């Protein structure tokens, strides 16, 4: 009998890649989706192969109904607002969506499906400022945004349910991971889309925040494999998933504009303080030694390959919109 998985956030970047991965492993895949249909285009190619259940992270009854209907062996909780900057605009809703909702879902698992294996999408933002050195699972939590604080609560709560109730509950502490399916509000996709648009004559420039901010960027399709591997172990645990390499926003711009055939990127990029967050995290780098050692996981796509892949995707996406001769 096929393994059954329930993915919350299945229409997001990570959810769509994870659904493809699990189907490739012959899973029966169920997904929780909102009634507004947001993001369904990311899983349109999987039509007929998924069972979708309408629900909301803020509605415990809908979560219980989805778990009851799918009877999953594995639950991947990926649904939450993941754009850090907007968490400052509505910190209370961020706390509900990224923090309190995890308590609701864990309660459903504990009472209705305690044998299921549970994966919580944690985040490098729980570490906040960090120490400047690559961060592993033992690094202290010091979030610097409402999003990071909500994720820290969910991370600690998942461990508490594991230790208190014996649930197979795990967190993957994922550092930044991108892909052509990233939303346009994220800085990497904002850069690659604008590089493509400028090269096609569809845009004149792009405004960015701190070009010196550094992140550990990996490829989302690699990272969902780590999620799956975390739930295949004999014992539950938490794992950092990262490349261990930091790159600046400026490096992202340089690679993207080079791939788009625009040699002098400085002609097109302006700085705008509106895109600088309060109490921003300047540098975050992860140490995924445990994942390499215990999961056998390795990222397959480096930073340069990732950004160039995203630019090529955006060029293909936008090419039909280019003006004649553009």
């Amino acid at each position: 009998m096929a393994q059954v998985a329930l993915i919350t956030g299945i229409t997001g970047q990570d959810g769509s890649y994870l659904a493809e991965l699990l189907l490739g492993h012959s899973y029966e895949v169920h997904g929780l989706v909102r009634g507004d249909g947001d993001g369904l285009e990311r899983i349109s190619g999987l039509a007929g192969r998924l069972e979708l259940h309408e629900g909301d992270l803020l509605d415990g009854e809908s979560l219980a109904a989805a778990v009851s209907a799918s009877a999953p062996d594995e639950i991947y909780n990926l649904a939450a607002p993941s754009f850090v900057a907007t968490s400052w605009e509505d910190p209370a809703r961020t706390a509900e969506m990224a923090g309190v909702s995890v308590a609701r879902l864990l309660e459903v698992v504990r009472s209705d499906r305690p044998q299921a294996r549970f994966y919580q999408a944690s985040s490098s933002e729980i570490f906040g400022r960090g120490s400047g050195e690559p961060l592993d699972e033992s690094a202290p939590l010091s979030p610097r945004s409402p999003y990071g604080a909500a994720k820290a609560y969910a991370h600690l709560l998942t461990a508490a349910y594991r230790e208190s109730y014996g649930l197979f509950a795990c967190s993957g502490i994922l550092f930044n991971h991108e892909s052509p399916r990233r939303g346009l509000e994220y800085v990497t996709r904002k850069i690659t889309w604008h590089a493509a648009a400028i090269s096609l004559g569809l845009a004149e420039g792009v405004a960015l925040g701190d070009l010196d901010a550094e992140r550990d960027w990996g490829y989302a399709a690699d990272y969902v494999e780590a999620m799956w591997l975390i739930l295949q172990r004999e014992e539950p645990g938490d794992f950092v998933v990262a490349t261990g390499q930091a790159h600046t926003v400026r490096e992202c711009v340089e690679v993207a504009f080079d791939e788009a055939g625009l040699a002098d990127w400085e002609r097109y990029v302006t700085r705008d303080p509106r895109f600088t967050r309060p109490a921003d995290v300047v540098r975050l780098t992860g140490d995924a030694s445990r994942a390499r050692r215990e999961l056998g996981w390795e990222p397959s796509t480096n930073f340069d390959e990732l950004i160039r892949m995203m630019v090529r995707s955006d060029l293909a996406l936008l090419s039909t919109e280019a003006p004649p001769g553009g």
Side-chain angles (χ1 to χ4, degrees):
M1 182 178 293
Q3 288 280 96
V4 179
L6 172 64
I7 304 171
T8 74
I10 196 169
T11 60
Q13 169 189 254
D14 293 3
S16 63
Y17 280 115
L18 179 61
E20 291 173 1
L21 175 75
L22 295 178
L23 289 169
H25 285 289
S26 300
Y27 276 64
E28 177 184 317
V29 179
H30 296 248
L32 186 74
V33 297
R34 295 201 305 264
D36 59 12
D38 183 46
L40 286 173
E41 69 279 356
R42 290 193 182 97
I43 57 171
S44 60
L46 305 178
R49 304 177 65 192
L50 304 172
E51 293 287 339
L52 301 180
H53 307 268
E54 189 172 324
D56 193 310
L57 293 177
L58 304 182
D59 178 7
E61 290 186 5
S62 70
L63 296 177
V67 170
S68 176
S70 58
D73 301 298
E74 298 173 5
I75 299 170
Y76 296 86
N77 185 37
L78 311 185
S82 59
F83 188 49
V84 177
T86 58
S87 73
W88 290 102
E89 298 170 10
D90 194 346
R93 182 170 176 79
T94 298
E96 280 279 342
M97 295 290 289
V100 178
S101 66
V102 181
R104 292 191 186 93
L105 186 52
L106 282 167
E107 271 297 289
V108 170
V109 175
R110 181 185 69 82
S111 62
D112 299 349
R113 196 69 181 172
Q115 70 273 36
R117 297 187 169 203
F118 178 84
Y119 172 88
Q120 167 61 20
S122 195
S123 166
S124 59
E125 292 288 332
I126 66 176
F127 296 132
R129 186 188 298 274
S131 62
E133 300 298 321
L135 301 164
D136 64 13
E137 296 80 7
S138 65
L141 307 191
S142 182
R144 304 191 78 207
S145 68
Y147 172 79
K151 281 292 190 179
Y153 168 78
H155 178 81
L156 294 170
L157 192 65
T158 300
Y161 270 70
R162 177 174 69 229
E163 295 164 4
S164 300
Y165 297 118
L167 297 182
F168 197 106
C170 311
S171 287
I173 310 169
L174 272 59
F175 281 64
N176 294 66
H177 48 289
E178 318 298 320
S179 77
R181 300 179 191 178
R182 230 351 169 184
L184 289 170
E185 68 272 24
Y186 293 86
V187 68
T188 50
R189 183 74 194 288
K190 182 179 180 179
I191 291 167
T192 64
W193 187 94
H194 278 87
I198 292 166
S199 74
L200 293 172
L202 299 173
E204 296 182 355
V206 58
L208 300 171
D210 184 4
L211 296 182
D212 295 318
E214 294 181 81
R215 292 293 185 272
D216 184 335
W217 278 301
Y219 180 33
D222 290 340
Y223 284 36
V224 300
E225 182 183 13
M227 298 178 188
W228 176 70
L229 289 170
I230 288 169
L231 292 196
Q232 309 315 305
R233 300 178 72 244
E234 292 187 7
E235 298 294 331
D238 303 330
F239 290 83
V240 163
V241 181
T243 71
Q245 301 293 321
H247 297 273
T248 64
V249 174
R250 180 178 284 99
E251 288 177 80
C252 182
V253 171
E254 291 170 348
V255 173
F257 277 68
D258 179 71
E259 181 65 25
L262 300 167
D264 187 9
W265 63 267
E266 291 159 311
R267 289 176 52 196
Y268 308 104
V269 176
T270 57
R271 297 284 298 278
D272 190 329
R274 291 179 303 165
F275 300 120
T276 301
R277 308 171 194 162
D280 199 8
V281 177
V282 177
R283 178 186 174 94
L284 275 177
T285 311
D287 178 357
S289 297
R290 186 184 181 199
R292 288 178 166 86
R293 183 174 64 251
E294 298 185 22
L295 304 178
W297 176 82
E298 289 281 352
S300 67
T301 305
N302 66 34
F303 173 77
D304 188 270
E305 293 167 338
L306 170 64
I307 301 304
R308 292 181 187 279
M309 172 205 308
M310 292 173 66
V311 173
R312 290 194 296 271
S313 175
D314 282 324
L315 284 167
L317 178 70
L318 294 170
S319 62
T320 57
E321 302 176 27

